[in-house]
Amino acid sequence: VKPASFEYHAPSSAQEIVSLLADLGEEAKVIAGGQSLVPMLALRLAVFEHLVDVGRVAGLRGIEQRDGSVWIGAATTQAAIEQSAKIAEAVPLLARATPLIGHFQIRNRGTIGGSIAHADAAAEYPAVALVLDAQMETLSPRGRRVIPAAEFFTGTWSTALAADELLTGVTFPARRARCGFAIEEFASRLGDFAIAGAAVAIELDAGGRIHRCRIGLFGLGPTPQRASGTEAALAGSGIADVAAGDLGQTATSALGSVQSDLHASADYRKQVGAAMVTAAWQRALQEAVNA
Ligand SMILES: Cc1cc2nc3c(=O)[nH]c(=O)nc-3n(C[C@H](O)[C@H](O)[C@H](O)COP(=O)(O)OP(=O)(O)OC[C@H]3O[C@@H](n4cnc5c(N)ncnc54)[C@H](O)[C@@H]3O)c2cc1C
């Protein structure tokens, strides 16, 4: 199957991209790695007369360590993130999530901005962004704005981005002392989207108790979700007081609607999600204790 014909634009600045999106209106779409958009175009699930490529804009690529945080340009490939020593050191959860995305051929083309803007409910990067409280930086004809991850993912494949708004970068807080991170997922085949997955971040206090924690689930609803009630209940607990075996059930029992589809029933997804929470909790805790 071939896409409907389109005009290809390759601007050299973010400002130019935004001007094109504003001028061309609903007939235009940003293309990054094309790993999600091109299959949709080829199957004619989407048709756009104009594709505006972000790949030629140097300012949209790169990984920069800033004061207590790490900025990643939206057009930075997943492969560049996977190979980055800075990311492995400062944002280990992102580093560990990346090899779980598809296959290396996909990660060679796919970008962090594309993954986050596409907002697949089973994708790893949106869940990591949510768990780490990442900040999405955007540019539109109305100027720049920063959208916290908690406000960014609004529904199935939908986000807070306006049609004429470009995601320019994502900022993650750099890891602090006494922290541990883990991501676990189950997919039917290596490289497939996860049936369900969990990302966990734990920060201990100086006395070795849980100062705060984040539990994110993906593949279990229209967007990645945080088990906020469970997180709040765990804050201040001694690590020996947390029954990791029950934690998955507790975290998934409070979730909203979980979808059944060809791949798995809602009940099965919840059970897998619970097992992933427990496994991720145990690994993250071990790292935090040894940090
Ligand atoms: C076989 C296969 C398996 C895969 N498995 C996984 C997986 O396990 N986990 C996973 O997370 N992903 C998976 N993917 C998807 C992959 O991660 C894609 O790379 C990603 O979803 C989209 O990134 P992209 O750069 O290719 O974006 P594109 O496909 O080019 O664009 C995707 C969407 O994002 C928009 N967009 C892109 N960049 C921007 C920007 N800077 N600002 C605003 N909007 C933008 C586009 O307009 C489009 O709507 C898989 C893909 C394939 C083909």
Side-chain angles (χ1 to χ4, degrees):
V1 188
K2 288 183 180 170
S5 64
F6 55 81
E7 197 173 330
Y8 172 77
H9 303 262
S12 55
S13 74
Q15 201 63 59
E16 221 182 309
I17 294 175
V18 168
S19 301
L20 271 168
L21 293 177
D23 291 348
L24 298 169
E26 288 185 352
E27 300 305 333
K29 192 76 174 155
V30 166
I31 184 164
Q35 299 303 295
S36 296
L37 185 58
V38 169
M40 290 172 73
L41 296 174
L43 293 168
R44 306 224 177 175
L45 295 171
V47 176
F48 293 99
E49 285 178 14
H50 300 271
L51 293 185
V52 182
D53 193 352
V54 297
R56 311 283 173 95
V57 182
L60 292 176
R61 285 192 301 273
I63 298 168
E64 290 173 19
Q65 236 154 341
R66 296 181 175 171
D67 197 19
S69 65
V70 176
W71 175 89
I72 306 177
T76 306
T77 63
Q78 296 152 355
I81 291 169
E82 191 171 5
Q83 289 154 17
S84 164
K86 268 186 228 166
I87 295 292
E89 171 60 29
V91 199
L93 188 58
L94 191 67
R96 290 167 197 168
T98 306
L100 303 177
I101 299 174
H103 307 273
F104 73 86
Q105 294 92 335
I106 289 155
R107 301 194 293 273
N108 279 341
R109 299 287 310 164
T111 64
I112 186 167
S115 180
I116 285 178
H118 187 61
D120 192 296
E124 290 81 3
Y125 278 178
V128 169
L130 194 64
V131 162
L132 296 180
D133 289 326
Q135 306 276 313
M136 319 303 182
E137 296 170 15
T138 76
L139 180 67
S140 77
R142 297 164 295 287
R144 294 187 181 275
R145 67 173 176 147
V146 174
I147 309 171
E151 293 166 22
F152 190 81
F153 304 104
T154 54
T156 309
W157 293 310
S158 53
T159 70
L161 284 175
D164 59 356
E165 193 165 25
L166 179 71
L167 182 63
T168 53
V170 186
T171 300
F172 292 88
R175 93 183 285 167
R176 288 185 295 271
R178 294 189 292 272
C179 285
F181 306 91
I183 181 165
E184 295 281 349
E185 68 176 42
F186 174 76
S188 305
R189 295 175 308 182
L190 190 68
D192 280 4
F193 276 100
I195 298 275
V200 169
I202 301 174
E203 182 173 3
L204 302 180
D205 64 21
R209 300 177 79 81
I210 293 158
H211 175 53
R212 58 180 170 173
C213 65
R214 298 277 192 265
I215 301 172
L217 288 135
F218 52 102
L220 287 157
T223 63
Q225 300 172 72
R226 290 245 311 264
S228 310
T230 310
E231 295 172 1
L234 289 166
S237 305
I239 56 176
D241 301 333
V242 180
D246 301 335
L247 198 57
Q249 285 294 344
T250 315
T252 50
S253 61
L255 291 178
S257 68
V258 175
Q259 76 276 13
S260 292
D261 59 21
L262 278 176
H263 303 290
S265 68
D267 189 46
Y268 180 68
R269 277 185 201 278
K270 268 191 160 180
Q271 286 186 42
V272 173
M276 297 302 112
V277 168
T278 294
W281 179 270
Q282 287 168 328
R283 279 187 42 215
L285 185 61
Q286 193 176 14
E287 183 177 62
V289 168
N290 295 328

